[in-house]
Amino acid sequence: MIAASAVPEGTPIIPVGPDAAQAACSVIRESVTHCCALDHGHDPAILTAWLANKTPENLAAWISAPGAAAWGAYRGDTMVGFALLARATLALCYAVPEALHQGVGRALLLHVETHARKVGLSAVDLESTRTAERFYRRHGYLPHGAVQTWAGLQAQPMRKVL
């Protein structure tokens, strides 16, 4: 059970299915574009490469994949945050700029970890951007392997033992 205090007031976190793919895609694209400048440096080529697979069709497939679970954070009817657990990997966890530093990411992460425990996982892995690495460290994730590079981006593999 997730403590009520972990969910930002007026921003419920709910499980979502593939029908939420368009909204999730919008959240991810807005977050990457406006919140991850430390990673992409406003370089159009890096942004294009990063966002190339962030389509509604791909999101729907990822959400529907065996072993996947997804959550959306909502303000009214608008999704402001999205998280996707793919088996034991936190594949996506993003919030729109207007929802940053308001507990949305933390609430999504707690939902992911609670679900992971319920399905018997002993750890959650992820690849963190430079922008998000401090956030994950604050929540108990530790580096777990060498930094990966791709298309001008760096990702730090991290793991949290549950």
Side-chain angles (χ1 to χ4, degrees):
M1 182 85 179
I2 302 202
S5 63
V7 178
E9 187 173 332
T11 310
I13 310 295
I14 61 170
V16 296
D19 57 321
Q22 179 66 52
C25 187
S26 295
V27 167
I28 294 165
R29 288 176 157 275
E30 188 175 343
S31 182
V32 167
T33 301
H34 298 289
C35 303
C36 300
L38 177 63
D39 296 283
H40 59 67
H42 302 288
D43 182 319
I46 294 173
L47 267 171
T48 297
W50 192 348
L51 297 174
N53 68 345
K54 309 307 187 287
T55 65
E57 297 79 18
N58 283 345
L59 266 286
W62 298 339
I63 293 167
S64 301
W71 296 265
Y74 287 86
R75 293 202 176 135
D77 293 334
T78 303
M79 185 185 285
V80 297
F82 176 77
L84 174 69
L85 182 68
R87 299 191 189 273
T89 300
L90 178 59
L92 301 166
C93 189
Y94 289 95
V96 297
E98 299 80 23
L100 289 181
H101 310 294
Q102 297 174 21
V104 172
R106 178 175 53 93
L108 285 164
L109 192 57
L110 288 172
H111 275 76
V112 166
E113 292 172 359
T114 297
H115 175 80
R117 286 183 189 94
K118 282 182 186 175
V119 298
L121 297 177
S122 60
V124 172
D125 293 316
L126 59 86
E127 288 186 357
S128 178
T129 61
R130 290 185 287 167
T131 300
E133 188 173 345
R134 286 190 332 204
F135 167 78
Y136 290 120
R137 284 180 182 268
R138 278 194 313 272
H139 292 90
Y141 289 79
L142 299 172
H144 189 71
V147 171
Q148 307 293 310
T149 58
W150 174 82
L153 295 166
Q154 293 182 354
Q156 172 64 63
M158 302 183 86
R159 170 176 279 178
K160 180 176 181 178
V161 175
L162 301 174

